[in-house]
Amino acid sequence: MEANPLFFRDLAYVFLAAICGGMLAWKLRQPIILGYVLAGMLISPFTPGPSVTHVHTMELFAEIGVILLMFSVGLEFSIKDLLSVRWVALIGGPLGILLSIGAGLLVGRFMGWTSTQGVVIGCVISVASTMVLTRLLIDRGELNMEHGRVMVAITLVEDLAVVILIVLLPNFGSLDSARLLILGKSLGKAALILVPALLLAARILPPVLRTVARTRSPELFFGVVLAIGLGTAAL
């Protein structure tokens, strides 16, 4: 593969912008992740000034970063602590989604949208980012506090709901018998992915990681983390 100087220039843009954005957010006593988002906007092809050329390549790097960040977020949690607030999450998560959908319908009525459009907008705004939330809680030292566990548990329920919403949204336009059959098959596929993944994460991965950790080899542990993260994403 031939080296592309534009790729290295893009990487330089990304890191310089991230450093500047992060430092600005720190100076203003704002979450550093907010500075990173601002940095991404500044070097976007949609804003004036220097911008990255290979957007798709940067998106691939970003996806790998998200995979590793979500894995590191998972390492911060105790299943026992999350289960202690499960009823709040199981009730609060779906309730928040339903309220957002209701708000979308209400706003849509005033904006002249159809009911389907209102539902779609409500679904889109109903879920929060567990990744962003946990990063903010870690920075504030509140991840393991009771309110932190409640907030994370609710967003985890919303993350699982995203899988169902992604399957449902394309089918909102027409729900005839043929479409309902396709919808049922799609939900079944989603369950086939989620259920084994949850069982694997709860039963198999903890002893594997404990065994690797006993080797006290950072390189080996990092390799296993990469394999698990990227393998799960591929699945």
Side-chain angles (χ1 to χ4, degrees), residues 70-87:
M70 290 303 294
F71 189 90
S72 67
V73 165
L75 293 177
E76 298 282 345
F77 295 129
S78 165
I79 298 297
K80 183 184 297 185
D81 290 340
L82 289 178
L83 289 177
S84 66
V85 294
R86 62 185 180 277
W87 293 117

PDB file of all heavy atoms in Angstrom, residues 70-87:
ATOM      1  N   MET A  70     -16.237   1.980  24.546  1.00  0.00           N
ATOM      2  CA  MET A  70     -17.358   1.263  25.139  1.00  0.00           C
ATOM      3  C   MET A  70     -16.875   0.047  25.923  1.00  0.00           C
ATOM      4  O   MET A  70     -17.441  -0.294  26.969  1.00  0.00           O
ATOM      5  CB  MET A  70     -18.333   0.832  24.042  1.00  0.00           C
ATOM      6  CG  MET A  70     -19.089   1.983  23.397  1.00  0.00           C
ATOM      7  SD  MET A  70     -20.021   2.975  24.587  1.00  0.00           S
ATOM      8  CE  MET A  70     -21.233   1.790  25.132  1.00  0.00           C
ATOM      9  N   PHE A  71     -15.813  -0.610  25.431  1.00  0.00           N
ATOM     10  CA  PHE A  71     -15.258  -1.743  26.171  1.00  0.00           C
ATOM     11  C   PHE A  71     -14.693  -1.272  27.510  1.00  0.00           C
ATOM     12  O   PHE A  71     -14.926  -1.891  28.552  1.00  0.00           O
ATOM     13  CB  PHE A  71     -14.162  -2.419  25.346  1.00  0.00           C
ATOM     14  CG  PHE A  71     -13.683  -3.715  25.927  1.00  0.00           C
ATOM     15  CD1 PHE A  71     -14.281  -4.908  25.587  1.00  0.00           C
ATOM     16  CD2 PHE A  71     -12.631  -3.743  26.826  1.00  0.00           C
ATOM     17  CE1 PHE A  71     -13.851  -6.107  26.127  1.00  0.00           C
ATOM     18  CE2 PHE A  71     -12.181  -4.936  27.369  1.00  0.00           C
ATOM     19  CZ  PHE A  71     -12.799  -6.116  27.019  1.00  0.00           C
ATOM     20  N   SER A  72     -13.956  -0.145  27.481  1.00  0.00           N
ATOM     21  CA  SER A  72     -13.395   0.385  28.729  1.00  0.00           C
ATOM     22  C   SER A  72     -14.495   0.841  29.680  1.00  0.00           C
ATOM     23  O   SER A  72     -14.376   0.697  30.901  1.00  0.00           O
ATOM     24  CB  SER A  72     -12.448   1.556  28.426  1.00  0.00           C
ATOM     25  OG  SER A  72     -13.153   2.665  27.909  1.00  0.00           O
ATOM     26  N   VAL A  73     -15.579   1.369  29.131  1.00  0.00           N
ATOM     27  CA  VAL A  73     -16.722   1.751  29.961  1.00  0.00           C
ATOM     28  C   VAL A  73     -17.314   0.510  30.632  1.00  0.00           C
ATOM     29  O   VAL A  73     -17.658   0.517  31.819  1.00  0.00           O
ATOM     30  CB  VAL A  73     -17.788   2.465  29.102  1.00  0.00           C
ATOM     31  CG1 VAL A  73     -19.124   2.543  29.831  1.00  0.00           C
ATOM     32  CG2 VAL A  73     -17.319   3.871  28.757  1.00  0.00           C
ATOM     33  N   GLY A  74     -17.419  -0.581  29.868  1.00  0.00           N
ATOM     34  CA  GLY A  74     -17.936  -1.814  30.441  1.00  0.00           C
ATOM     35  C   GLY A  74     -17.089  -2.336  31.588  1.00  0.00           C
ATOM     36  O   GLY A  74     -17.609  -2.911  32.549  1.00  0.00           O
ATOM     37  N   LEU A  75     -15.772  -2.112  31.511  1.00  0.00           N
ATOM     38  CA  LEU A  75     -14.888  -2.562  32.590  1.00  0.00           C
ATOM     39  C   LEU A  75     -15.131  -1.805  33.894  1.00  0.00           C
ATOM     40  O   LEU A  75     -14.766  -2.276  34.968  1.00  0.00           O
ATOM     41  CB  LEU A  75     -13.420  -2.381  32.165  1.00  0.00           C
ATOM     42  CG  LEU A  75     -12.933  -3.281  31.026  1.00  0.00           C
ATOM     43  CD1 LEU A  75     -11.489  -2.933  30.673  1.00  0.00           C
ATOM     44  CD2 LEU A  75     -13.049  -4.748  31.389  1.00  0.00           C
ATOM     45  N   GLU A  76     -15.737  -0.625  33.788  1.00  0.00           N
ATOM     46  CA  GLU A  76     -15.972   0.195  34.974  1.00  0.00           C
ATOM     47  C   GLU A  76     -17.188  -0.267  35.771  1.00  0.00           C
ATOM     48  O   GLU A  76     -17.372   0.148  36.907  1.00  0.00           O
ATOM     49  CB  GLU A  76     -16.194   1.660  34.562  1.00  0.00           C
ATOM     50  CG  GLU A  76     -15.013   2.316  33.866  1.00  0.00           C
ATOM     51  CD  GLU A  76     -13.916   2.727  34.833  1.00  0.00           C
ATOM     52  OE1 GLU A  76     -14.200   2.763  36.056  1.00  0.00           O
ATOM     53  OE2 GLU A  76     -12.801   2.996  34.376  1.00  0.00           O
ATOM     54  N   PHE A  77     -18.029  -1.115  35.185  1.00  0.00           N
ATOM     55  CA  PHE A  77     -19.297  -1.437  35.801  1.00  0.00           C
ATOM     56  C   PHE A  77     -19.266  -2.748  36.543  1.00  0.00           C
ATOM     57  O   PHE A  77     -18.581  -3.688  36.152  1.00  0.00           O
ATOM     58  CB  PHE A  77     -20.411  -1.500  34.748  1.00  0.00           C
ATOM     59  CG  PHE A  77     -20.681  -0.188  34.083  1.00  0.00           C
ATOM     60  CD1 PHE A  77     -20.725  -0.083  32.704  1.00  0.00           C
ATOM     61  CD2 PHE A  77     -20.865   0.943  34.837  1.00  0.00           C
ATOM     62  CE1 PHE A  77     -20.967   1.122  32.091  1.00  0.00           C
ATOM     63  CE2 PHE A  77     -21.103   2.149  34.238  1.00  0.00           C
ATOM     64  CZ  PHE A  77     -21.153   2.245  32.871  1.00  0.00           C
ATOM     65  N   SER A  78     -20.034  -2.793  37.597  1.00  0.00           N
ATOM     66  CA  SER A  78     -20.306  -4.036  38.300  1.00  0.00           C
ATOM     67  C   SER A  78     -21.740  -4.433  37.983  1.00  0.00           C
ATOM     68  O   SER A  78     -22.672  -3.650  38.176  1.00  0.00           O
ATOM     69  CB  SER A  78     -20.140  -3.845  39.814  1.00  0.00           C
ATOM     70  OG  SER A  78     -20.731  -4.917  40.513  1.00  0.00           O
ATOM     71  N   ILE A  79     -21.922  -5.660  37.472  1.00  0.00           N
ATOM     72  CA  ILE A  79     -23.264  -6.135  37.153  1.00  0.00           C
ATOM     73  C   ILE A  79     -24.156  -6.091  38.392  1.00  0.00           C
ATOM     74  O   ILE A  79     -25.340  -5.755  38.325  1.00  0.00           O
ATOM     75  CB  ILE A  79     -23.210  -7.563  36.583  1.00  0.00           C
ATOM     76  CG1 ILE A  79     -22.401  -7.583  35.278  1.00  0.00           C
ATOM     77  CG2 ILE A  79     -24.610  -8.096  36.337  1.00  0.00           C
ATOM     78  CD1 ILE A  79     -23.017  -6.757  34.174  1.00  0.00           C
ATOM     79  N   LYS A  80     -23.578  -6.407  39.553  1.00  0.00           N
ATOM     80  CA  LYS A  80     -24.352  -6.401  40.790  1.00  0.00           C
ATOM     81  C   LYS A  80     -24.878  -4.995  41.094  1.00  0.00           C
ATOM     82  O   LYS A  80     -26.044  -4.821  41.492  1.00  0.00           O
ATOM     83  CB  LYS A  80     -23.482  -6.885  41.952  1.00  0.00           C
ATOM     84  CG  LYS A  80     -24.227  -6.988  43.281  1.00  0.00           C
ATOM     85  CD  LYS A  80     -23.275  -7.376  44.403  1.00  0.00           C
ATOM     86  CE  LYS A  80     -22.676  -8.754  44.157  1.00  0.00           C
ATOM     87  NZ  LYS A  80     -21.831  -9.182  45.311  1.00  0.00           N
ATOM     88  N   ASP A  81     -24.020  -3.972  40.891  1.00  0.00           N
ATOM     89  CA  ASP A  81     -24.459  -2.591  41.148  1.00  0.00           C
ATOM     90  C   ASP A  81     -25.561  -2.176  40.178  1.00  0.00           C
ATOM     91  O   ASP A  81     -26.519  -1.493  40.559  1.00  0.00           O
ATOM     92  CB  ASP A  81     -23.271  -1.634  41.024  1.00  0.00           C
ATOM     93  CG  ASP A  81     -22.281  -1.806  42.155  1.00  0.00           C
ATOM     94  OD1 ASP A  81     -22.668  -2.354  43.204  1.00  0.00           O
ATOM     95  OD2 ASP A  81     -21.107  -1.398  41.984  1.00  0.00           O
ATOM     96  N   LEU A  82     -25.422  -2.575  38.913  1.00  0.00           N
ATOM     97  CA  LEU A  82     -26.445  -2.212  37.928  1.00  0.00           C
ATOM     98  C   LEU A  82     -27.763  -2.924  38.215  1.00  0.00           C
ATOM     99  O   LEU A  82     -28.838  -2.348  38.059  1.00  0.00           O
ATOM    100  CB  LEU A  82     -25.957  -2.544  36.518  1.00  0.00           C
ATOM    101  CG  LEU A  82     -24.829  -1.659  35.973  1.00  0.00           C
ATOM    102  CD1 LEU A  82     -24.414  -2.144  34.592  1.00  0.00           C
ATOM    103  CD2 LEU A  82     -25.265  -0.208  35.904  1.00  0.00           C
ATOM    104  N   LEU A  83     -27.679  -4.193  38.637  1.00  0.00           N
ATOM    105  CA  LEU A  83     -28.900  -4.932  38.941  1.00  0.00           C
ATOM    106  C   LEU A  83     -29.618  -4.359  40.153  1.00  0.00           C
ATOM    107  O   LEU A  83     -30.835  -4.518  40.291  1.00  0.00           O
ATOM    108  CB  LEU A  83     -28.584  -6.413  39.175  1.00  0.00           C
ATOM    109  CG  LEU A  83     -28.189  -7.215  37.934  1.00  0.00           C
ATOM    110  CD1 LEU A  83     -27.831  -8.646  38.314  1.00  0.00           C
ATOM    111  CD2 LEU A  83     -29.308  -7.203  36.896  1.00  0.00           C
ATOM    112  N   SER A  84     -28.871  -3.683  41.031  1.00  0.00           N
ATOM    113  CA  SER A  84     -29.503  -3.089  42.213  1.00  0.00           C
ATOM    114  C   SER A  84     -30.462  -1.962  41.848  1.00  0.00           C
ATOM    115  O   SER A  84     -31.333  -1.604  42.634  1.00  0.00           O
ATOM    116  CB  SER A  84     -28.432  -2.568  43.180  1.00  0.00           C
ATOM    117  OG  SER A  84     -27.724  -1.476  42.608  1.00  0.00           O
ATOM    118  N   VAL A  85     -30.301  -1.393  40.646  1.00  0.00           N
ATOM    119  CA  VAL A  85     -31.204  -0.320  40.211  1.00  0.00           C
ATOM    120  C   VAL A  85     -31.980  -0.759  38.961  1.00  0.00           C
ATOM    121  O   VAL A  85     -32.441   0.070  38.182  1.00  0.00           O
ATOM    122  CB  VAL A  85     -30.424   0.979  39.922  1.00  0.00           C
ATOM    123  CG1 VAL A  85     -29.815   1.526  41.190  1.00  0.00           C
ATOM    124  CG2 VAL A  85     -29.337   0.750  38.872  1.00  0.00           C
ATOM    125  N   ARG A  86     -32.125  -2.063  38.784  1.00  0.00           N
ATOM    126  CA  ARG A  86     -32.710  -2.564  37.535  1.00  0.00           C
ATOM    127  C   ARG A  86     -34.152  -2.118  37.354  1.00  0.00           C
ATOM    128  O   ARG A  86     -34.582  -1.847  36.224  1.00  0.00           O
ATOM    129  CB  ARG A  86     -32.618  -4.089  37.488  1.00  0.00           C
ATOM    130  CG  ARG A  86     -33.359  -4.822  38.584  1.00  0.00           C
ATOM    131  CD  ARG A  86     -33.093  -6.314  38.510  1.00  0.00           C
ATOM    132  NE  ARG A  86     -33.775  -7.077  39.548  1.00  0.00           N
ATOM    133  CZ  ARG A  86     -33.329  -7.232  40.767  1.00  0.00           C
ATOM    134  NH1 ARG A  86     -32.180  -6.675  41.122  1.00  0.00           N
ATOM    135  NH2 ARG A  86     -34.003  -7.939  41.659  1.00  0.00           N
ATOM    136  N   TRP A  87     -34.925  -2.052  38.456  1.00  0.00           N
ATOM    137  CA  TRP A  87     -36.330  -1.693  38.286  1.00  0.00           C
ATOM    138  C   TRP A  87     -36.483  -0.235  37.881  1.00  0.00           C
ATOM    139  O   TRP A  87     -37.379   0.107  37.104  1.00  0.00           O
ATOM    140  CB  TRP A  87     -37.107  -1.986  39.568  1.00  0.00           C
ATOM    141  CG  TRP A  87     -37.186  -3.453  39.865  1.00  0.00           C
ATOM    142  CD1 TRP A  87     -36.670  -4.103  40.944  1.00  0.00           C
ATOM    143  CD2 TRP A  87     -37.799  -4.451  39.049  1.00  0.00           C
ATOM    144  NE1 TRP A  87     -36.907  -5.445  40.851  1.00  0.00           N
ATOM    145  CE2 TRP A  87     -37.607  -5.691  39.702  1.00  0.00           C
ATOM    146  CE3 TRP A  87     -38.477  -4.431  37.830  1.00  0.00           C
ATOM    147  CZ2 TRP A  87     -38.082  -6.888  39.174  1.00  0.00           C
ATOM    148  CZ3 TRP A  87     -38.948  -5.620  37.309  1.00  0.00           C
ATOM    149  CH2 TRP A  87     -38.755  -6.830  37.969  1.00  0.00           C
TER     150      TRP A  87
END
